[in-house]
């Protein structure tokens, strides 16, 4: 039986759009978002594992992925690990709650703010080639765009955009964007420049460089800078500089395309679930949001990818195969953010003393995180097919199981 979303009033649509936008771009550094209530969940199907590593590592990954589903409200989860022992893939739960399909290793999904690591990489490559400077101001590349309400592009540098220390308001928090998303189908999409103008219609959070605040506006601006410097959209430049050299064939930047490339499962929103009888008692079925217009995310979060592509990208990046040593050091310099964020990467510190580097992303219907050891030799990419945040304890257990083994 098809899943039906409940009917909505105009007010309900506006509220749903605001929630969708929060899910669309609200994700990022651990601690920046609120943790979802776990709630009751059906027992997931047994995890499936494909592997080429040791049995202990395989069992640990399988158990940890199963707990991601059992402890939360996401229908399914999957993880892929790369290390000296080879590649291991595990999945649990369902990719499609209607058909019972499992999550496949080759499935495409929306990667949200993982996009920021790609964009930061391209900007740093351009800086290496002296096509731009990190101390350039926004005004030098995008004259007149960041002005008004106390915002001044003459005082904001590209370095501050990369490190989220610009002070610019996050357009994802503006209700006009939410209302636009709640409008009738076929409405013209918001362009990156329109998103920036919405953001600078708000007063800045603080003076440029004064402190740290995660803002998607920063990376939308960086995408526009890449286009101004190279003459090509940021997506085309990222494909030329990163995707093609690394053979990341499952990664794309869809613009206004609403569908996912095949193969793919379904994507489910945490809010507005419909009731549907699946067992002797009713359970809440999440709303299917597989098809959506990701253009409001732009260079801040529109990427589509696979677990394998993301793991190989972060491995190559941290091994120094994409950027030179000086640029990679800048990417991992968290001085400006008091240790929270570098340039498109942030540190994840585990209780066993291991520090990992990576990024996460949350867009309507999807949550993903990729982390790796500093040398890029051990990488873990994992995802949920829902924008519900994973239970904190289950996520910690997954990271410890993968990186704290003796």
């Amino acid at each position: 039986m098809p899943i039906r979303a409940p009917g909505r009033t105009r007010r309900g649509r506006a509220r749903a759009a605001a929630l969708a936008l929060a899910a669309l771009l609200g994700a990022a550094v651990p601690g920046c978002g609120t943790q979802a209530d776990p709630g009751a969940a059906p027992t997931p199907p047994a995890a499936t594992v494909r592997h080429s590593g040791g049995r202990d590592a395989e069992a640990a990954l399988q158990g940890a992925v199963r707990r991601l589903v059992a402890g939360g409200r996401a229908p399914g989860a999957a993880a892929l690990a790369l290390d000296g022992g080879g590649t291991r893939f595990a999945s649990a739960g369902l990719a499609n709650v209607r058909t019972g399909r499992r999550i496949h290793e080759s499935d495409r999904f929306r990667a949200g703010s993982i996009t920021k690591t790609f964009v930061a990489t391209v900007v740093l490559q351009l800086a290496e080639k002296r096509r731009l400077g990190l101390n350039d101001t926004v005004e030098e590349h995008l004259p007149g765009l960041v002005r008004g309400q106390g915002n001044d592009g003459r005082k904001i540098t590209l370095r501050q955009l990369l490190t989220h220390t610009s002070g610019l308001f996050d357009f994802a928090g503006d209700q006009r964007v939410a209302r636009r998303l709640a409008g009738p189908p076929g409405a013209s999409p918001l362009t990156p420049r329109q998103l920036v103008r919405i953001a600078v219609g708000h007063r800045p959070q603080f003076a440029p460089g004064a402190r740290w605040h995660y803002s998607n506006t920063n990376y939308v601006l960086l995408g526009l800078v890449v286009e101004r410097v190279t003459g090509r959209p940021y997506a085309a430049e990222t494909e030329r500089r990163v995707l093609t050299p690394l053979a990341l064939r499952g990664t794309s930047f869809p613009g206004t395309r609403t569908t996912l490339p095949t193969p793919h499962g379904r994507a489910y929103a945490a809010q507005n679930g419909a009731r549907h009888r699946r067992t002797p008692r009713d359970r809440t079925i999440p709303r299917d949001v597989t098809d959506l217009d990701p253009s409001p995310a732009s260079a801040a979060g529109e990427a589509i990818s696979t677990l394998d592509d993301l793991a190989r990208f972060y491995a190559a990046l941290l091994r120094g195969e994409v950027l030179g040593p000086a640029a990679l050091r800048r990417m991992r310099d968290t001085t400006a953010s008091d240790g929270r964020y570098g340039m498109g990467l942030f540190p994840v510190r585990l209780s066993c003393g291991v520090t990992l580097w990576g990024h996460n992303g949350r867009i309507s219907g999807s949550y993903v995180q990729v982390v790796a050891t500093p040398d890029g030799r051990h990488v873990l990419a994992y995802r949920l097919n829902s924008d519900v945040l994973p239970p904190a304890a289950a996520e910690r257990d997954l990271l410890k199981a993968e990186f704290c083994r003796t």
Side-chain angles (χ1 to χ4, degrees):
M1 181 181 294
I3 300 169
R4 295 182 175 88
R8 296 182 206 162
T9 62
R10 183 181 297 273
R11 171 182 278 182
R13 287 196 303 269
R15 180 177 182 274
L19 291 170
L21 186 62
L24 182 74
L25 293 169
V29 183
C32 289
T34 57
Q35 184 68 35
D37 278 335
T43 301
T48 57
V49 182
R50 185 198 55 76
H51 55 78
S52 56
R55 289 187 178 180
D56 289 346
E58 297 155 14
L61 184 64
Q62 177 175 357
V65 170
R66 186 180 176 88
R67 286 191 292 276
L68 281 180
V69 177
R73 294 199 301 265
L80 184 142
L82 299 177
D83 62 17
T87 302
R88 288 166 283 116
F89 171 76
S91 70
L94 299 174
N96 187 321
V97 299
R98 183 172 60 86
T99 67
R101 179 186 184 273
R102 302 283 184 86
I103 296 177
H104 299 162
E105 183 176 348
S106 58
D107 279 354
R108 272 66 168 171
F109 56 87
R110 302 188 191 279
S113 287
I114 295 285
T115 309
K116 293 179 174 69
T117 309
F118 286 103
V119 172
T121 299
V122 171
V123 171
L124 288 166
Q125 283 188 349
L126 292 170
E128 287 182 316
K129 299 294 185 182
R130 301 188 184 278
R131 302 282 301 277
L132 55 78
L134 300 186
N135 291 324
D136 292 353
T137 65
V138 174
E139 182 73 12
E140 290 176 62
H141 296 284
L142 303 169
L145 183 58
V146 179
R147 293 287 182 88
Q149 295 295 321
N151 299 285
D152 189 345
R154 296 170 298 183
K155 298 178 180 179
I156 298 171
T157 67
L158 303 189
R159 185 186 303 275
Q160 290 164 344
L161 297 181
L162 285 161
T163 58
H164 292 294
T165 56
S166 70
L168 290 170
F169 179 84
D170 187 348
F171 66 81
D174 185 280
Q175 288 300 308
R176 287 171 293 176
V177 181
R179 286 197 297 272
R180 186 66 169 269
L181 290 179
S188 59
L190 290 164
T191 68
R193 285 180 175 268
Q194 287 174 318
L195 294 170
V196 172
R197 292 189 186 103
I198 287 170
V200 299
H202 295 262
R203 294 196 60 80
Q205 304 279 348
F206 47 82
R211 47 195 179 88
W212 181 85
H213 177 75
Y214 189 87
S215 173
N216 291 287
T217 305
N218 294 319
Y219 276 73
V220 169
L221 279 166
L222 288 168
L224 291 170
V225 169
V226 169
E227 183 172 1
R228 176 58 68 93
V229 169
T230 67
R232 288 178 288 271
Y234 93 90
E237 193 67 13
T238 304
E239 182 175 359
R240 187 175 78 89
R241 290 178 170 273
V242 181
L243 304 189
T244 299
L246 296 179
L248 304 179
R249 298 183 180 90
T251 302
S252 60
F253 303 95
T256 59
R257 188 178 70 237
T258 60
T259 57
L260 286 171
T262 55
H264 66 82
R266 309 305 292 175
Y268 299 99
Q271 301 90 14
N272 299 319
R275 304 291 292 187
H276 172 62
R277 187 171 295 277
R278 297 173 61 212
T279 66
R281 71 176 186 274
D282 285 344
R283 294 191 184 276
T284 298
I285 298 297
R287 184 167 50 96
D288 190 312
V289 291
T290 307
D291 294 342
L292 61 86
D293 176 5
S295 60
S298 185
E302 70 169 309
I304 291 170
S305 195
T306 67
L307 289 176
D308 182 69
D309 268 18
L310 293 181
R312 290 190 295 113
F313 167 56
Y314 280 83
L317 177 64
L318 291 166
R319 285 199 300 257
E321 298 173 10
V322 184
L323 294 171
L328 192 53
R329 282 196 299 273
R330 292 189 191 99
M331 207 171 197
R332 295 190 297 201
D333 182 355
T334 62
T335 305
S337 64
D338 295 325
R340 287 174 287 191
Y341 199 93
M343 296 182 176
L345 289 176
F346 59 75
V348 177
R349 301 173 180 90
L350 304 183
S351 59
C352 61
V354 172
T355 295
L356 308 171
W357 288 90
H359 210 289
N360 63 7
R362 185 174 174 228
I363 190 167
S364 189
S366 179
Y367 173 83
V368 58
Q369 178 152 261
V370 189
V371 289
T373 52
D375 60 6
R377 296 186 183 278
H378 188 176
V379 188
L380 178 69
Y382 60 96
R383 73 178 186 96
L384 307 179
N385 59 354
S386 169
D387 49 58
V388 62
L389 293 174
E395 193 167 22
R396 285 195 302 270
D397 287 348
L398 173 63
L399 296 177
K400 288 169 66 177
E402 186 62 34
F403 294 99
C404 296
R405 301 193 307 267
T406 57

